[in-house]
Amino acid sequence: MVTARADDMDKIRGLGFGADDYIEKPFSPSVLVARVKENLSQYRRLKPQPAKSEIVEAGPLRIDTEARTAAVRGEQLTLTNKEYELLLFLARHPNQVFSREDLYELIWELESMGGNITVAVHVNRLREKVEENPSKPQLIQTVWGVGYL
């Protein structure tokens, strides 16, 4: 903000309304350039960086995190958002068993109240899409009495 107002309340108001900086007239052009450069530098430092592309593979499963796509044996899958998130989470944590409650809290980001069937339904849907034989799953396995891996 460039202004002739030099009162402290004006500065507070200007910054409070969202100004990144406050410069009072008269000012030196070199000071203005230095402040603009600093503000641009700060913007670049704080600007969110794009997510790094990651390819997650588990057996015949291949997930591209940048494109948010998944394929099994080269065939593209059509997944809902939660199916994708659940599949990616399990693929990123091979050989780890997660209970339904844990998965519900991690993927849906809601507290599980126990007896939640949502995870089991999504796992069954995923198995239909990723397994060669969903009744004998190889990629998403059940550990009876514990959860899924």
Side-chain angles (χ1 to χ4, degrees):
M1 180 176 278
V2 177
T3 181
R5 295 182 170 246
D7 185 57
D8 284 347
M9 271 318 278
D10 293 323
K11 292 177 188 177
I12 291 168
R13 232 182 261 122
L15 294 168
F17 284 131
D20 291 322
D21 204 347
Y22 194 98
I23 301 174
E24 304 163 16
K25 293 180 186 177
F27 56 85
S28 161
S30 57
V31 170
L32 176 63
V33 169
R35 288 179 122 168
V36 168
K37 283 183 178 179
E38 175 53 34
N39 277 300
L40 287 173
S41 172
Q42 184 175 2
Y43 169 76
R44 285 186 199 104
R45 281 192 310 271
L46 298 176
K47 182 179 164 187
Q49 298 299 313
K52 291 183 181 177
S53 179
E54 178 186 2
I55 302 296
V56 178
E57 294 183 289
L61 176 67
R62 179 180 163 92
I63 302 171
D64 182 337
T65 60
E66 185 175 30
R68 277 189 74 86
T69 59
V72 173
R73 294 173 282 285
E75 187 177 324
Q76 284 296 116
L77 300 173
T78 303
L79 301 172
T80 66
N81 187 46
K82 290 300 180 193
E83 288 172 346
Y84 171 83
E85 290 178 21
L86 180 58
L87 186 63
L88 178 61
F89 181 82
L90 291 171
R92 280 183 170 159
H93 300 89
N95 304 317
Q96 285 185 269
V97 180
F98 295 93
S99 71
R100 279 197 264 181
E101 290 78 15
D102 290 340
L103 290 171
Y104 189 74
E105 290 175 9
L106 291 164
I107 305 301
W108 280 262
E109 297 178 352
L110 298 170
E111 187 176 330
S112 176
M113 299 297 180
N116 191 313
I117 198 75
T118 302
V119 174
V121 168
H122 279 76
V123 166
N124 286 335
R125 287 184 188 156
L126 275 175
R127 284 179 175 158
E128 292 292 326
K129 295 177 181 184
V130 303
E131 300 286 355
E132 282 187 280
N133 182 355
S135 62
K136 294 183 181 176
Q138 299 298 307
L139 295 173
I140 304 172
Q141 298 180 4
T142 300
V143 177
W144 295 106
V146 182
Y148 301 101
L149 69 89

